[in-house]
Amino acid sequence: MARIVMKFGGTSVADLDRIRSVAARVKRQVALGDEVAVVVSAMSGVTNQLVGYCQSLSALHDAREYDTVVSTGEQVTSGLVALALQAIGVEARSWQGWQIPLLTDDAHGKARIRSIEGATLVARMQAGQVPVVAGFQGLGPDHRVTTLGRGGSDTSAVALAAAVRADRCDIYTDVDGVYTTDPRIVSRARKLDRIAYEEMLELASVGAKVLQTRSVELAMKERVRVQVLSSFGDDAPPEEGRLPGTLVVDEDEIVEQEIVAGIAYSRDEAKITVRRVPDRPGVAAAVFGPLADAHVNVDMIVQSTGADGTTDMTFTTGKSDLARAIQVLEAARGVIQYGEMLTDADVAKISVVGVGMRSHTGVANTMFRTLSDRSINIQVISTSEIKVSVLIAAEYTELAVRALHSAYRLDVA
Amino acid sequence: MARIVMKFGGTSVADLDRIRSVAARVKRQVALGDEVAVVVSAMSGVTNQLVGYCQSLSALHDAREYDTVVSTGEQVTSGLVALALQAIGVEARSWQGWQIPLLTDDAHGKARIRSIEGATLVARMQAGQVPVVAGFQGLGPDHRVTTLGRGGSDTSAVALAAAVRADRCDIYTDVDGVYTTDPRIVSRARKLDRIAYEEMLELASVGAKVLQTRSVELAMKERVRVQVLSSFGDDAPPEEGRLPGTLVVDEDEIVEQEIVAGIAYSRDEAKITVRRVPDRPGVAAAVFGPLADAHVNVDMIVQSTGADGTTDMTFTTGKSDLARAIQVLEAARGVIQYGEMLTDADVAKISVVGVGMRSHTGVANTMFRTLSDRSINIQVISTSEIKVSVLIAAEYTELAVRALHSAYRLDVA
C-alpha cells in the first residue's frame, strides 16, 4: 500500500469523457489498495476564456478579482471529477483551497504556498475517501482566493504530496515521460526511467517543458518523488515494480547513473556583442546594470580582452527581450563607451545535462569534439556543475542534437 | 442618501457588454450619494451548462458536488462586475457566500438562509466600496458551498437587503415592472407603481413569474421594500421622487389602494373529478392522503353532495402531476369506492387578486357576472382573503382575462 497524489492537467480533463477516464484511472489506483488524493486543473480552454474576460474588462485588472474569476475553472473540475468517481462507486469529495486550507502569501495572480493543512485530508484518505483538490488556488491572508500563476497546479500537487507525506506524486500530462531529448528531432530518443531533480530543472529551463520549474524546485526541497506519465497511455495497470513514466527523484535514488541524462535545446535565444569597450574595472556592471534595471534576463556571458586595451562582451537573452536590450544599450552608450554593437537572433543554445558530470571528466570535451567533427562553430560556451551549454547558429540545431545524442550513447538500442 | 441593494439576473449580465452596462448603472446609483451593494446571477446559459455537466456524469448526483460546480457561475460574474466597476473608477470588491459569510442549512441544492453577517459589508459600503455579492450561494454547516435552488439570487438579494438594513432592494429583470395582467394578452395592461407583498405572492403563484416566490415571502417577513425594474430600460436616472419600476411593499405603504391589483391566469392546470363516492366521514382524507403521499400538489378543491348518499369530489393539479394522480386514484379505488373518475387537462385558472377585497364586497360577484355575460362556464371556484379564482375551459382564457381587466377598470386610459 502506498499513498499517492495523482495530478491531471487541462487536456486530461478536457471534456466529460476525459473526466470519466480520469475517474476510471483513479479507481484502478484505489483498487491496488493505495490511498489516493487527486489534484486537477481547469478543463482545457476554460482558464484562457476567463483570463480573456478579465483582460477585456480591464487591461490593468485587480489581481484579487482576477483570482476570484480564474480559480473557478479548477473548482468546476474538482466537483465534476468527484461526481465521476462517485458514479463508479469510489467515495470522493472535492476541496477548494479555502476549505483545506491551502494558505498562500498575498501575491495575487502568482501567490506562493505557505502551508497546507494535511491532517484532515489524510484522515479522509485513511477512511477510504478520495479528496479531489482544485489545483492552482489557495487562500490568501486577506481571506480571498489566490492563484499560483500559470501551470501552478503542478506546484499544488507537489505541495500537497509533501503535506500528506505521499510516497509519490504522479503528474499526468500529454507526454508519457521525460526523454533524453526531443523525440521530434531524434527518433531514437529514449524515455528515462529516472531523472534527478537537478537534471529535470536544467532540462526544463532549457526548453523541455514537461513540469513547471517551481514544482520541481519544491519537489527537490521537500524530497517529493514525482512521476511524469501520460494520461493518454494504455489503461492497463503498470507491471509489478515498474512505473510507466519517468520518476523525478533525488540522485541517490538513481542506481545506474548515466553520465549524461539528456540533450536540450532552445531556439528562443538572441546574442548581443558590444565591441571595443575600454577595459577597466566596472565595465561589466556598466553593461549589465541597466539591463537588469530594465528586467532583461541575461543568460550566457563571455568576455574576451584584446591586446589594444579594449574588451568585447557577448551575452544572450530571450528573443522577446532583444529589442529592449538594444534600446537600453544604445541609451547607455555614452557611459559604456563601446565601439559598436552586434546582434544576432539566429542562434540556438544546445545543452548537455547530467549529474554524472560532477564525477566524470571529458564530458565537455566530447561535446566540443563532436560539434567540431560536424564543422559546427561554437559561438559561446557556458558551464555549470551538471550542464554544458553552447550557442551555435540556429540552422545547425537538429544536426547538433542528433550528433550529441549519439556521441553520449543515448540512442535507444 | 439611501442604502440600496441592486440585483442583476442572468440576462442582465449575459456578456461583457451587458456587464459594463450594469457597472455604469451601479455607478449612477453611487453618484446619487447612495450606499450600494450588488447581487449577481450567473451569466445566462452558464448555470444550465454546469447543471448539464453534473447530470451527464451522474443522474443521481451528490448535491454537495453539484453545489460546488454550479455556484461557480455566480462567482465568475461577481469578479467580473467588480472588475468592470473598478475600470470606471468605482471601488468594488467581490464576495462569495463563504466569505461574508452567508450561512445556510445543509439542504444542498435548495438550502435556506440562516444568517448573513452584514456588519463587514456595511462598513465597506460606508467607506465607499461597493460589495458585489455572488447570489444563489451560501456556506453550509459542513463548511461546503450550498446553493439556494433555481432563482435563488432574488432570495439572496432580499436577505442581504434585510441584513444590511437597506432602504430598498432593486431587482433588475427583463421586464420593467409588474403589470395588472399579461401585456401579451391585454395590450392596455398597466404597469403598477406599487403592489402589496400578498398580492405579489398571489400573482407569482398563479403564473406572473417576475420574482421567485421565496424572495417575496422573505421580503414580506423582513419588511424589505423590493423594486422590480428593467435592466434593459433607458439609462437615465429616475425622476425625482418617482421610481421607474414597481415597488413591492407593505400594503400600508400603498396610499391609493385599488380594490383589484391584477388579473392572473395559468394554463398549467388539470381537473380531476371522482364521482359517486359514498358520503361518509373521512372520504376527503381517503382521496387526498394517497395523493399527498405521492407528492401530487392539489390546488382547488370542491365537494358537492347529491341526494343519493354519494358525493362528487373535484380538484385541480398541475398538468405534469395529472398522470401520477390518475395512477394513485386508480390504485386506491377499492378504498375510496368511487363510481367513476373524470379528468380534463383542457382547463385554465383565472384569478382576480387584490388586498382591497378585504374591505370591499362584490368583487367575486363582478367576476361571476362578467364571465356569465360572455357565456363562460365556471367549473370550480376557490377564494382566499385577497383572491378569487375560477377554473374555466382553456379556450376562453384570453377572453376572460380581457373582460375582467376591463370590468375592474384596470385598462390604461
Side-chain angles (χ1 to χ4, degrees), chain A residues 226-411:
Chain A
V226 174
Q227 183 183 200
V228 175
L229 70 176
S230 171
S231 61
F232 294 85
D234 86 71
D235 283 353
E239 288 165 49
E240 186 68 32
R242 195 181 147 83
L243 294 168
T246 298
L247 203 59
V248 189
V249 290
D250 193 275
E251 58 184 284
D252 297 343
E253 273 203 64
I254 304 179
V255 183
E256 293 182 61
Q257 187 75 62
E258 304 277 351
I259 298 168
V260 168
I263 316 293
Y265 68 93
S266 162
R267 290 194 178 94
D268 177 31
E269 305 289 328
K271 183 180 70 165
I272 299 178
T273 303
V274 287
R275 300 194 59 194
R276 294 193 305 280
V277 187
D279 192 15
R280 60 181 193 280
V283 61
V287 172
F288 297 110
L291 290 170
D293 292 345
H295 301 291
V296 172
N297 253 325
V298 171
D299 178 17
M300 310 167 94
I301 300 176
V302 291
Q303 178 174 359
S304 58
T305 304
D308 61 349
T310 69
T311 189
D312 294 353
M313 307 277 286
T314 298
F315 61 91
T316 64
T317 70
K319 274 197 168 67
S320 60
D321 278 344
L322 178 59
R324 194 141 35 111
I326 292 172
Q327 201 178 21
V328 167
L329 292 175
E330 279 173 349
R333 184 164 191 169
V335 177
I336 306 171
Q337 296 181 296
Y338 55 83
E340 64 175 331
M341 172 163 54
L342 306 173
T343 66
D344 184 359
D346 214 16
V347 291
K349 182 167 71 168
I350 315 292
S351 303
V352 173
V353 175
V355 291
M357 286 184 205
R358 290 205 192 96
S359 49
H360 284 79
T361 55
V363 172
N365 197 45
T366 300
M367 185 180 202
F368 304 152
R369 200 187 57 239
T370 302
L371 296 177
S372 160
D373 287 350
R374 268 74 176 180
S375 305
I376 301 172
N377 188 38
I378 297 174
Q379 303 180 12
V380 183
I381 299 171
S382 82
T383 61
S384 77
E385 263 203 309
I386 65 162
K387 183 180 71 168
V388 183
S389 299
V390 298
L391 200 72
I392 63 173
E395 61 185 322
Y396 294 112
T397 304
E398 291 84 353
L399 178 63
V401 169
R402 275 189 217 108
L404 292 169
H405 200 265
S406 293
Y408 290 106
R409 299 197 183 81
L410 296 171
D411 292 353

Side-chain angles (χ1 to χ4, degrees), chain B residues 14-47:
Chain B
D15 55 40
L16 297 182
D17 278 342
R18 301 283 315 143
I19 284 174
R20 286 190 193 96
S21 140
V22 160
R25 191 173 289 270
V26 171
K27 183 176 185 172
R28 283 196 302 275
Q29 196 78 47
V30 170
L32 295 175
D34 292 338
E35 290 175 6
V36 176
V38 175
V39 176
V40 292
S41 298
M43 295 164 79
S44 55
V46 168
T47 302

Side-chain angles (χ1 to χ4, degrees), chain B residues 67 104-106 108 111 136-140 142 144-148:
Chain B
D67 283 353
T104 72
D105 62 17
D106 60 0
H108 282 276
F136 178 60
Q137 57 163 256
L139 181 67
D142 53 0
R144 304 197 68 80
V145 175
T146 52
T147 65
L148 309 181

Side-chain angles (χ1 to χ4, degrees), chain B residues 143-404:
Chain B
H143 199 55
R144 304 197 68 80
V145 175
T146 52
T147 65
L148 309 181
R150 294 308 290 265
S153 290
D154 285 350
T155 306
S156 300
V158 171
L160 185 71
V164 303
R165 302 181 183 283
D167 297 288
R168 206 171 68 230
C169 178
D170 284 354
I171 309 269
Y172 287 84
T173 67
D174 42 14
V175 296
D176 63 352
V178 181
Y179 278 74
T180 49
T181 193
D182 185 345
R184 289 169 301 181
I185 291 183
V186 181
S187 58
R188 297 174 73 188
R190 186 160 47 82
K191 182 158 74 70
L192 294 161
D193 284 341
R194 296 187 176 220
I195 185 170
Y197 297 119
E198 294 89 336
E199 291 170 336
M200 189 70 200
L201 279 174
E202 292 291 358
L203 288 174
S205 68
V206 290
K209 287 186 178 145
V210 178
L211 289 180
Q212 203 203 14
T213 303
R214 258 171 78 192
S215 69
V216 182
E217 288 169 351
L218 185 63
M220 182 161 74
K221 178 166 165 277
E222 301 281 350
R223 291 288 176 255
V224 173
R225 302 165 80 237
V226 174
Q227 183 182 200
V228 175
L229 70 175
S230 171
S231 60
F232 294 86
D234 87 73
D235 283 353
E239 289 166 48
E240 186 69 31
R242 194 181 149 83
L243 293 169
T246 298
L247 203 59
V248 189
V249 290
D250 193 274
E251 57 184 285
D252 297 344
E253 273 204 64
I254 305 179
V255 183
E256 293 183 61
Q257 187 73 61
E258 304 278 350
I259 299 168
V260 168
I263 315 292
Y265 68 93
S266 162
R267 290 193 178 95
D268 178 31
E269 305 290 326
K271 183 179 69 165
I272 299 178
T273 304
V274 286
R275 300 195 59 195
R276 294 192 306 280
V277 187
D279 192 15
R280 60 182 191 280
V283 61
V287 172
F288 297 110
L291 290 170
D293 293 344
H295 301 291
V296 172
N297 253 325
V298 171
D299 178 17
M300 310 168 93
I301 299 176
V302 292
Q303 179 176 357
S304 58
T305 304
D308 60 349
T310 69
T311 189
D312 294 352
M313 307 276 288
T314 298
F315 61 92
T316 63
T317 70
K319 273 197 170 67
S320 60
D321 278 345
L322 178 59
R324 195 143 32 113
I326 292 173
Q327 200 178 23
V328 166
L329 291 174
E330 280 174 349
R333 183 163 191 169
V335 178
I336 307 172
Q337 296 181 298
Y338 56 81
E340 64 177 331
M341 172 164 54
L342 306 173
T343 66
D344 184 359
D346 213 16
V347 291
K349 183 167 70 168
I350 314 292
S351 303
V352 173
V353 174
V355 292
M357 287 184 204
R358 289 204 194 98
S359 49
H360 284 79
T361 54
V363 172
N365 197 45
T366 300
M367 184 179 202
F368 304 152
R369 199 187 58 239
T370 302
L371 297 177
S372 160
D373 286 350
R374 268 73 176 182
S375 305
I376 299 172
N377 188 38
I378 297 173
Q379 303 180 13
V380 182
I381 299 170
S382 81
T383 61
S384 78
E385 263 202 308
I386 64 161
K387 182 180 71 167
V388 183
S389 299
V390 298
L391 200 72
I392 63 173
E395 60 184 322
Y396 295 111
T397 304
E398 291 84 355
L399 178 63
V401 170
R402 275 188 217 110
L404 293 169

Side-chain angles (χ1 to χ4, degrees), chain B residues 107-130:
Chain B
H108 282 276
K110 48 177 198 297
R112 298 190 75 86
I113 297 172
R114 281 186 175 162
S115 70
I116 301 180
E117 173 54 48
T120 306
L121 297 183
V122 167
R124 299 287 184 116
M125 289 163 81
Q126 286 172 336
Q129 191 180 70
V130 174

Side-chain angles (χ1 to χ4, degrees), chain B residues 26-81:
Chain B
V26 171
K27 183 176 185 172
R28 283 196 302 275
Q29 196 78 47
V30 170
L32 295 175
D34 292 338
E35 290 175 6
V36 176
V38 175
V39 176
V40 292
S41 298
M43 295 164 79
S44 55
V46 168
T47 302
N48 285 340
Q49 183 189 34
L50 295 171
V51 170
Y53 284 165
C54 293
Q55 289 173 338
S56 166
L57 284 173
S58 167
L60 298 167
H61 46 255
D62 179 348
R64 281 168 293 190
E65 298 306 336
Y66 169 94
D67 283 353
T68 296
V69 172
V70 173
S71 62
T72 59
E74 282 72 18
Q75 180 167 340
V76 168
T77 314
S78 68
L80 294 181
V81 169

Side-chain angles (χ1 to χ4, degrees), chain A residues 62 65 86 93-94 144, chain B residues 62 65 86 93-94 144:
Chain A
D62 179 347
E65 298 306 338
Q86 293 173 357
R93 178 63 60 226
S94 69
R144 304 197 69 82
Chain B
D62 179 348
E65 298 306 336
Q86 293 172 358
R93 178 63 60 224
S94 69
R144 304 197 68 80

